[in-house]
């Protein structure tokens, strides 16, 4: 059992937050993670009332968090109100300027968690007084930026120690097993946010064909690209792109975005069909560089407990690599 | 004191190798690191006989390693012979296919260390039977690729455990303090290769103005770019680029490489002048994302001992962030 300021503050058994992955993190996954002692979250992402309502229904009875994509939800303020009515265990914001949203949530005394991708955004979120900063490295699956987990976490930890010692810090990006959690703690984090490894769990709303593509891939097979947002007609700010597993689709368009724009109608149609059928060559799997460490599709509880118990052992042994 | 298979195998006091940084890692730095119990190395890089001879002379009496850039030294095979005559503590190869070089060094029973940037290159180097694999993440200063330290290390560690358990593994990229070393050990490494933090040491062959630029920078201020190789007329393979601190020069040309080619003669002249004067706006500082954690220019011995003793404390405390 690993007790940190994060487990104490949020009342968790394990210092692990499940990332609110758009569409993939529904009520079943969120509830399973929270039930097993982590903090589960619903990936409300771009905000769609029917989907949110269904997923909060499924998770009913478990304390789960709700995660939004900041720039998207700023355009749909009513959905923040809806989320707050669900009395989530925490609100998680990523990608964009969260000032107004954070201030609102703070009035409801619900913990605020802000995921950032740069040191500057970390400083800004810390000044807003958020409860937990998530420093997310580029190795993460899905949307992100360029900084790496290995340097962003200690740099933010130093800033927190000097300026806002009550702020908690989680590492995100590249963490899928006990080694990653133990390393995150060494780097100065109070816990970890885990995405891809839960994306590849039985409770995730992900087609098994897509999950199997992640099992087959190694870490060299992923790429950060703009293709997937263009095809899905999502208006992401220029600074962000998404890490996915390379496939025929990505290889075809990654370096030809302006050509893709000309064929958008057909390509979007093919994407949507591929999404339905779970065709890993027509749709991209949103998985991080940890693809190389994902070898089976487990239940979320198994994932959570294995990460936590492996980290616990490593911390006790002072890593497997230190000779006694 | 941290004892690992690396310290045992190479006869070190600390599980730390100083990266053979081109031009910056001369004999004084290499000798200082080896004297203090790490493995120092001379950054013979592109290979220039006069420079190598001078630096091996300065390091005389200390067991230091010699590091080459693989693709460059393949064009100058005589320099490998020269290096072998110096009886280096190890030969380090990075960037390119090291097959022939490794086979030759193995005949001299000198330890071989191969730095790789992808899982596939790690597999290849392991098959060659090298003694130490260095898994280098994109957060590193200077040349590199896209994979991050946080995921590349455990993925390679798993491959080694299954296929070549005698091969040792070091992490590189993002490691500049005890947190980084402790995290690297947790991820599955037997030690760490440290570059930028030694680049910013008193013994490095780096102009103090450039080192001060690194102190002023935070981790967001670095970028991977092709500009510096183009300006220096270095024919690097397309897959590699170099992480440097952004400055006027980089901002001007990073997205205009074909324009830069048209102005190469003047720009190279300005670079060389800036290099002489230590002008951090005309020359780029080859520093990694750890720029945000570099706060002073210390002696190499101080750097080495502080990394090692901080890591030792963190491992004993099971990180500062685990509650007792």
């Amino acid at each position: 059992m690993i007790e940190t300021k994060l487990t104490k503050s949020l009342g968790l058994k394990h210092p692990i937050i499940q990332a609110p992955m758009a569409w993939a993190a529904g009520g079943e996954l969120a509830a399973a993670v929270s039930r097993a002692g982590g903090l589960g979250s619903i990936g409300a992402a771009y905000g769609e009332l029917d989907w949110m309502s269904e997923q909060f229904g499924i998770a009913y009875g478990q304390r789960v968090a709700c995660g939004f994509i900041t720039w998207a939800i700023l355009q749909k303020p009513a959905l923040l109100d809806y989320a707050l009515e669900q009395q989530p265990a925490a609100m998680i914001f990523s990608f964009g300027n969260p000032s107004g949203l954070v201030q609102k949530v703070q009035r409801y005394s619900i913990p605020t968690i802000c995921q950032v991708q740069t040191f500057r955004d970390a400083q800004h979120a810390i000044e807003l007084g958020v409860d937990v900063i998530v420093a997310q490295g580029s190795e993460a699956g899905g949307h992100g930026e360029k900084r790496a987990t290995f340097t962003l976490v200690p740099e933010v930890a130093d800033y927190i120690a000097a300026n806002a010692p009550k702020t908690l810090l989680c590492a995100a990006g590249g963490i899928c097993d006990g080694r990653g959690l133990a390393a995150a703690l060494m780097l100065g984090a109070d816990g970890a946010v885990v995405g891809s490894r839960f994306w590849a769990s039985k409770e995730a709303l992900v087609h098994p064909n897509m999950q199997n593509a992640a099992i087959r891939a190694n870490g060299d097979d992923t790429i950060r690209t703009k293709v997937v947002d263009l095809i899905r007609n999502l208006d992401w700010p220029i600074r962000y792109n998404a890490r996915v597993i390379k496939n025929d689709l990505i290889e075809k368009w990654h370096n030809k975005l302006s050509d893709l724009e000309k064929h958008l109608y057909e390509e979007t149609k093919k994407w949507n069909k591929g999404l339905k059928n779970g065709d890993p060559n027509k749709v991209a799997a949103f998985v991080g560089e940890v693809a190389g460490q994902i070898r089976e599709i487990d239940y979320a509880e198994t994932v959570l407990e294995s990460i936590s118990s492996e980290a616990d052992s490593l911390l006790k042994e002072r890593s497997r690599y230190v000779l006694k």
Side-chain angles (χ1 to χ4, degrees), chain A:
Chain A
M1 290 278 292
I2 300 171
E3 204 186 347
T4 69
K5 284 194 278 181
L6 186 81
T7 59
K8 249 186 139 169
S9 156
L10 296 180
L12 309 174
K13 191 173 153 195
H14 306 297
I16 296 169
I17 299 174
Q18 164 248 314
M21 298 164 286
W23 314 121
E28 196 183 344
L29 177 59
V33 171
S34 286
R35 194 179 301 120
L39 178 62
S41 72
I42 288 175
Y46 307 94
E48 200 181 86
L49 187 57
D50 289 348
W51 190 88
M52 283 173 63
S53 152
E54 189 186 343
Q55 302 306 327
F56 271 105
I58 292 170
Y60 188 78
Q62 279 298 331
R63 289 187 67 246
V64 302
C66 177
F68 281 124
I69 292 167
T70 306
W71 65 263
I73 208 63
L74 282 168
Q75 299 162 20
K76 301 175 176 178
L79 291 189
L80 177 59
D81 294 322
Y82 175 78
L84 291 170
E85 283 165 23
Q86 312 309 310
Q87 306 189 327
M91 286 297 308
I92 307 176
F93 299 109
S94 314
F95 311 115
N97 183 345
S99 316
L101 304 175
V102 164
Q103 276 157 11
K104 179 155 187 176
V105 177
Q106 284 168 336
R107 289 201 294 275
Y108 287 74
S109 300
I110 289 173
T112 49
I113 301 176
C114 270
Q115 181 171 271
V116 297
Q117 289 75 31
T118 62
F119 178 65
R120 284 184 189 87
D121 281 353
Q123 287 179 304
H124 179 234
I126 291 163
E127 279 157 23
L128 292 176
V130 304
D131 298 288
V132 183
I133 296 285
V134 178
Q136 185 207 30
S138 170
E139 47 272 69
H143 287 90
E145 279 197 68
K146 287 181 187 156
R147 288 292 308 269
T149 302
F150 213 99
T151 63
L152 188 58
V153 170
E155 190 174 355
V156 173
D158 286 341
Y159 187 83
I160 287 176
N163 297 282
K166 286 188 180 161
T167 309
L168 302 182
L169 175 62
C170 284
I175 299 156
C176 80
D177 62 16
R179 296 177 291 191
L181 174 57
L185 295 172
M186 288 293 163
L187 289 173
D190 302 291
V193 172
V194 174
S196 301
R197 190 65 192 85
F198 284 118
W199 179 96
S201 71
K202 287 194 201 286
E203 293 93 338
L205 297 172
V206 177
H207 198 290
N209 294 353
M210 302 305 290
Q211 294 178 323
N212 287 330
I215 291 180
R216 283 193 303 275
N218 69 39
D220 296 353
D221 296 330
T222 73
I223 188 174
R224 291 212 151 274
T225 186
K226 281 276 186 189
V227 168
V228 291
D229 293 331
L230 195 51
I231 281 193
R232 298 183 301 162
N233 298 298
L234 290 170
D235 200 18
W236 274 83
I238 185 81
R239 60 187 278 202
Y240 305 108
N241 52 26
R243 185 175 294 284
V244 297
I245 298 177
K246 278 181 267 184
N247 61 8
D248 295 350
L249 175 82
I250 304 297
E251 304 274 10
K252 184 171 178 187
W253 298 114
H254 179 65
N255 289 313
K256 292 180 187 162
L257 291 180
S258 46
D259 283 359
L260 173 56
E261 281 186 60
K262 288 173 213 150
H263 297 86
L264 212 47
Y265 180 77
E266 311 94 88
E267 290 299 319
T268 303
K269 234 167 100 175
K270 282 193 247 172
W271 172 283
N272 289 333
K273 201 177 150 195
L275 196 62
K276 223 164 142 180
N277 306 336
D279 183 339
N281 262 317
K282 297 216 166 72
V283 179
F286 283 68
V287 182
E289 289 187 3
V290 298
Q293 294 155 260
I294 295 176
R295 288 174 191 112
E296 50 193 321
I297 308 305
D298 293 304
Y299 285 103
E301 181 182 6
T302 309
V303 170
L304 191 67
E305 300 207 329
S306 71
I307 295 176
S308 191
S309 70
E310 188 190 16
D312 198 20
S313 306
L314 286 174
L315 294 171
K316 282 185 185 137
E317 297 171 43
R318 303 166 60 219
S319 111
R320 255 169 234 139
Y321 298 89
V322 172
L323 303 177
K324 299 302 163 268

